[in-house]
Amino acid sequence: MKKTDLQNETLAIQLTDNHDDSGSVANVIYPTTTFKRETDGSYASGFVYTRHNNPNRDQLEHVLAQLEGASCGFAFASGMAAISTVLQTLKPGDHVLVPDDAYYSVQLLVKEVFDRWQLSHSVVDMTDTGAVQSAIKPETALLWLETPSNPQLKVSDIKALAELAHEHGALCAVDNTWSTPILQKPIDLGADVVMYSTTKYFGGHSDSLGGALVLSEAATTQLAEKIKNIQNLSGAVPSPFDCWLMLRGIKTLPLRLNQQTRNAEQLAHFLSQHPKIRAVHYPGLPAHPQHRLAQQQMPNGYGAMLSIQVGSDAKAAMALIGRLQLFTAATSLGGVESLIEHRKSVEGDSSPTPNNLLRVSLGIEHIDDLVADWVQALDGLHE
Ligand SMILES: *Cc1c(COP(=O)(O)O)cnc(C)c1O
């Protein structure tokens, strides 16, 4: 049986099995920083020093690439380290397009760090392909997409935007953290680079930071060597233990994400009919402005993140968080536990996120309990 013919649930188990010859069924951790050299100067294992590579990282990178159907993969110490690496492949004078709604640190990174490297950028509404086209300049080298976007769940057309990027000789990179390859496969839609914060769904238990890049075949020829070099020389690599935790998380990724997605779909439908909720942002709702596009682009489900707007300012939103008993007030997402956060106060005053918006990350709890929690929280809420 070819591994590529297997379903995600089977693949997640098969790809992450233990490789060494000890007979251990559980995966082995290689905490070593360095590897033995033979008398002739060679390295029998192929490993030299853990910043260059390590058996746990090697397996993780292989698994991430395979799940995506990508040519190669690179693991990093965090999602931001992975994003920085993509930007470091560019040269001074290059121009980058970033979404108006996206993980907020991406905008901060291009403004506060890469501006000094003479990397210019424009912020665009990526749901408007015409606006993206007009924002492209001769020196545009990268389109950075995030779909669905954080925190307003705007959906942009990966296929159309990747084509547009290629017409102008630019790369198209997609932050696919919220969907993972289980729900959305940007490389199949034409993207060159797919980025993950593995901190979220791959890890799945809110106990390990990590990031990853996987590349299409064409991008591998163009970028793999550069990325490998930056990964090694900049050194933002994950520890063997973090890689081991990620591999362990991946074993249950399809199971968790499918349950979490079902929970999000049901909660989104419930909240969209509640009189005290002013707006629900979830691509699975027929009323979502890009619902049709999401149906094509995310055939296996719309993900486990949603955001809502309640009251007219932060006050009602904060009060609602305080009334919920099964949703922990914390930033981040993708773990087995449901979380809720007031996004604007995390992003800061400069953020365009509405002040009455709450972002919700659905966990794996039973949906009846989660909905009942919202019912009681909203019943007693004075807007
Ligand atoms: C969390 C997140 C990041 C950043 O990842 P870290 O692992 O926290 O560095 C980037 N993009 C998205 C969509 C995220 O949710």
Side-chain angles (χ1 to χ4, degrees):
M1 237 189 303
K2 283 219 322 268
K3 284 209 168 151
T4 44
D5 295 336
L6 299 173
Q7 304 288 330
N8 285 330
E9 289 80 354
T10 319
L11 207 51
I13 300 299
Q14 287 290 311
L15 292 173
T16 56
D17 66 348
N18 187 46
H19 281 3
D20 85 344
D21 47 21
S22 64
S24 171
V25 170
N27 294 61
V28 174
I29 310 180
Y30 297 85
T32 187
T33 55
T34 189
F35 297 84
K36 203 168 121 196
R37 204 168 180 182
E38 307 304 314
T39 45
D40 65 357
S42 68
Y43 293 89
S45 65
F47 295 102
V48 177
Y49 184 60
T50 282
R51 178 158 45 75
H52 305 183
N53 209 351
N54 171 284
N56 295 111
R57 193 173 98 207
D58 193 51
Q59 185 174 10
L60 175 61
E61 292 180 336
H62 176 75
V63 172
L64 290 167
Q66 291 273 308
L67 284 175
E68 185 73 46
S71 278
C72 65
F74 300 92
F76 295 88
S78 69
M80 291 310 296
I83 298 172
S84 297
T85 300
V86 176
L87 295 173
Q88 286 177 68
T89 66
L90 304 178
K91 58 182 193 310
D94 281 350
H95 173 250
V96 180
L97 292 183
V98 295
D100 59 353
D101 189 66
Y103 188 69
Y104 198 55
S105 298
V106 176
Q107 274 195 32
L108 296 181
L109 178 70
V110 290
K111 270 194 209 124
E112 293 177 14
V113 179
F114 282 92
D115 221 34
R116 288 200 296 275
W117 290 35
Q118 271 87 53
L119 210 65
S120 65
H121 71 277
S122 310
V123 177
V124 240
D125 177 359
M126 294 287 179
T127 66
D128 181 348
T129 308
V132 179
Q133 181 145 24
S134 335
I136 293 180
K137 302 177 182 186
E139 61 273 24
T140 302
L142 175 69
L143 257 68
W144 186 266
L145 311 185
E146 183 182 309
T147 177
S149 66
N150 179 1
Q152 301 197 50
L153 291 115
K154 293 165 76 166
V155 175
S156 45
D157 189 336
I158 298 174
K159 194 159 176 277
L161 294 172
E163 270 170 29
L164 197 58
H166 297 154
E167 276 167 27
H168 292 83
L171 289 168
C172 174
V174 180
D175 182 339
N176 203 30
T177 299
W178 283 20
S179 301
T180 84
I182 306 302
L183 303 181
Q184 177 170 273
K185 294 209 162 157
I187 287 180
D188 290 350
L189 298 167
D192 304 287
V193 179
V194 180
M195 174 263 153
Y196 291 106
S197 167
T198 53
T199 310
K200 314 295 168 51
Y201 291 103
F202 286 97
H205 296 75
S206 308
D207 55 9
S208 172
L209 281 177
L213 298 174
V214 299
L215 307 184
S216 72
E217 220 173 297
T220 298
T221 318
Q222 200 184 336
L223 281 181
E225 212 173 306
K226 259 191 201 165
I227 289 176
K228 175 79 195 161
N229 208 27
I230 297 167
Q231 181 194 39
N232 180 28
L233 295 177
S234 295
V237 293
S239 73
F241 183 57
D242 283 326
C243 296
W244 181 86
L245 280 173
M246 287 304 163
L247 286 164
R248 182 192 173 112
I250 288 170
K251 291 174 195 286
T252 56
L253 169 69
L255 211 59
R256 283 183 282 107
L257 191 56
N258 288 333
Q259 167 81 9
Q260 288 170 284
T261 297
R262 275 198 302 276
N263 283 352
E265 276 168 11
Q266 291 191 47
L267 185 63
H269 280 281
F270 167 76
L271 293 173
S272 69
Q273 274 153 34
H274 198 287
K276 286 189 184 166
I277 301 291
R278 296 195 176 190
V280 179
H281 306 289
Y282 187 69
L285 293 174
H288 184 281
Q290 294 94 35
H291 178 61
R292 304 258 316 262
L293 172 61
Q295 277 182 317
Q296 296 158 18
Q297 207 163 261
M298 310 177 76
N300 298 329
Y302 306 99
M305 295 296 296
L306 60 94
S307 58
I308 59 156
Q309 290 177 249
V310 61
S312 51
D313 53 21
K315 216 167 131 241
M318 289 296 197
L320 183 55
I321 293 184
R323 294 191 53 81
L324 286 163
Q325 292 168 13
L326 299 180
F327 289 74
T328 303
T331 194
S332 199
L333 58 114
V336 290
E337 63 287 309
S338 290
L339 300 181
I340 187 160
E341 79 168 326
H342 182 251
R343 193 66 193 156
K344 172 103 178 172
S345 48
V346 171
E347 294 178 342
D349 289 342
S350 61
S351 137
T353 298
N355 215 357
N356 65 348
L357 181 141
L358 294 175
R359 192 186 75 178
V360 185
S361 168
L362 272 298
I364 60 169
E365 304 91 339
H366 198 288
I367 187 59
D368 293 352
D369 295 329
L370 298 180
V371 169
D373 194 23
W374 280 85
V375 169
Q376 69 74 25
L378 286 164
D379 274 354
L381 183 74
H382 306 288
E383 282 171 277

